[in-house]
């Protein structure tokens, strides 16, 4: 399917209406994340799953159908080409086409974050510039990891500084040790937070003490912390995180935004009850069953999940039943 046809004409009036409605709404933190933020990252960002056809091509028609629903949910924005988007399995032209297609569908007041991290600094800069040209508002830059033994704090600081210096859009650091095998060291984060074009970090490690220290130590910087998982979203908010990039938002977008709202309002008892019901489903579509589990769960809630690209394999019937039971026992199915 050609990219030019990825958005059908009936979608445009609905998007325009949503844009007008959203532009009059304020989404402020009940406790602001810090002084002088030039870009508000407060809210929920689903890291979009990439829809593939049975022939393993990116299916822009199904992407459009998912986007039609996502823009009706009060997300702060969307993430394209994150870990849940099977980013390493996409060709460069597919990566850029995904960004262009999502940008067309997304109201201008919603942010589009695009993954642009590569193993080399040179390649990361080149892709980041291309993502900006394709319509991304923010570059989400994962840590290089292939030569992890050489990835010292000094190496990370040099890498991200050069990327941020060259990037035409703001940069968000991305630490995902489950995939890369390493954490972006805290001392490197604190140094990089001082860079005027580095505006935050998505931390998927789950170390709440570390996230709290990041918030505490960067209060005077134009820097925000985003939780990288729905399992510890409430705890992150309690320590001052601004928002969350959460895989589960692809499936349970409205409940995720409700949790965001309850935390901002200080309705902690209600937030805790909701958070408890989200932990097991989130673990099931991330750590336990991964992207195949996420895509299967999306189908139960009216989205297109579809196949993954090999070597990611579909779930077995027993795994599907276990996944369904996890959602059912927590009251979602």
């Amino acid at each position: 399917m050609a990219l030019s046809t990825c958005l059908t004409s009936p979608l445009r009036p609905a998007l325009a209406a949503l844009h007008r409605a959203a532009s009059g709404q304020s989404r402020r933190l009940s406790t602001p994340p810090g002084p002088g933020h030039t870009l508000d990252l407060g809210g929920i960002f689903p890291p979009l799953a990439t829809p593939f056809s049975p022939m393993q091509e990116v299916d822009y028609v199904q992407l459009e159908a998912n986007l039609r629903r996502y823009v009706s949910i009060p997300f702060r924005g969307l993430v394209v080409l994150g870990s849940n988007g099977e980013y390493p399995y996409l060709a460069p032209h597919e990566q850029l086409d995904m960004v262009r297609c999502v940008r067309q569908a997304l109201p201008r007041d919603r942010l589009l974050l695009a993954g642009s991290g590569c193993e080399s600094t040179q390649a990361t800069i080149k892709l980041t510039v291309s993502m900006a040209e394709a319509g991304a508002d923010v570059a989400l830059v994962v840590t290089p990891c292939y030569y992890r033994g050489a990835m010292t704090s000094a190496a990370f600081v040099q890498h991200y500084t050069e990327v941020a210096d060259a990037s035409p859009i703001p940069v968000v650091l991305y630490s995902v040790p489950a995939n890369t095998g390493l954490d972006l060291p805290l001392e490197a984060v604190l140094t990089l937070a001082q860079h005027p074009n580095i505006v935050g970090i998505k931390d998927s490690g789950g170390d709440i003490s570390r996230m709290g220290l990041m918030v505490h130590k960067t209060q005077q910087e134009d820097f925000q912390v985003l939780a990288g998982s729905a399992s510890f979203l409430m705890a992150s908010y309690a320590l001052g995180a601004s928002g969350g990039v959460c895989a589960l938002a692809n499936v349970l977008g409205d409940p995720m935004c409700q949790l965001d709202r309850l935390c901002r309002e200080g309705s902690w008892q209600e937030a805790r009850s909701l958070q408890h019901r989200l932990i097991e489903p989130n673990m099931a579509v991330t750590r336990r069953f991964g992207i195949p589990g996420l895509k299967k769960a999306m189908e139960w809630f009216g989205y297109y999940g579809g196949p993954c690209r090999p070597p990611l394999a579909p779930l077995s019937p027993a795994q599907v039943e276990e996944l369904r039971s996890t959602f059912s026992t927590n009251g979602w199915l």
Side-chain angles (χ1 to χ4, degrees), residues 230 246-253 255-256 274 276-303 315 319-333:
C246 307
L248 190 60
N250 283 284
V251 181
L252 298 175
M256 291 297 303
L274 180 54
H276 286 167
R277 296 174 56 217
L278 294 170
I279 293 174
E280 287 184 314
N282 180 72
M283 292 177 66
V285 301
T286 54
R287 185 184 311 170
R288 194 166 191 179
F289 298 120
I291 300 169
L294 175 66
K295 287 188 166 183
K296 175 57 68 175
M298 288 172 63
E299 293 175 358
W300 296 333
F301 291 84
Y303 299 98
L315 301 185
Q319 289 174 321
V320 170
E321 191 57 36
E322 189 176 347
L323 179 63
R324 179 180 283 275
S325 175
T326 300
F327 277 85
S328 298
T329 56
N330 285 279
W332 300 114
L333 285 174

Side-chain angles (χ1 to χ4, degrees), residues 5 20 28 30 32 37 44 66-67 79 89 92 106-108 146 152 164 173 198 221 235 240 255 285 293 309 320 323:
T5 63
R20 291 192 297 269
R28 300 292 183 185
S30 55
H37 291 303
I44 301 299
N66 286 345
L67 290 170
V79 173
Y89 295 170
L106 198 60
R108 291 305 310 180
Y146 188 83
T152 62
L173 314 173
I198 296 177
E221 309 296 342
V285 301
R309 273 189 172 165
V320 170
L323 179 63

Side-chain angles (χ1 to χ4, degrees), residues 119 144-159 182 185:
E119 284 301 309
C145 63
Y146 188 83
Y147 298 106
R148 64 175 54 87
M151 292 298 100
T152 62
S153 288
F156 280 129
V157 168
Q158 179 176 343
H159 171 72
L182 52 81

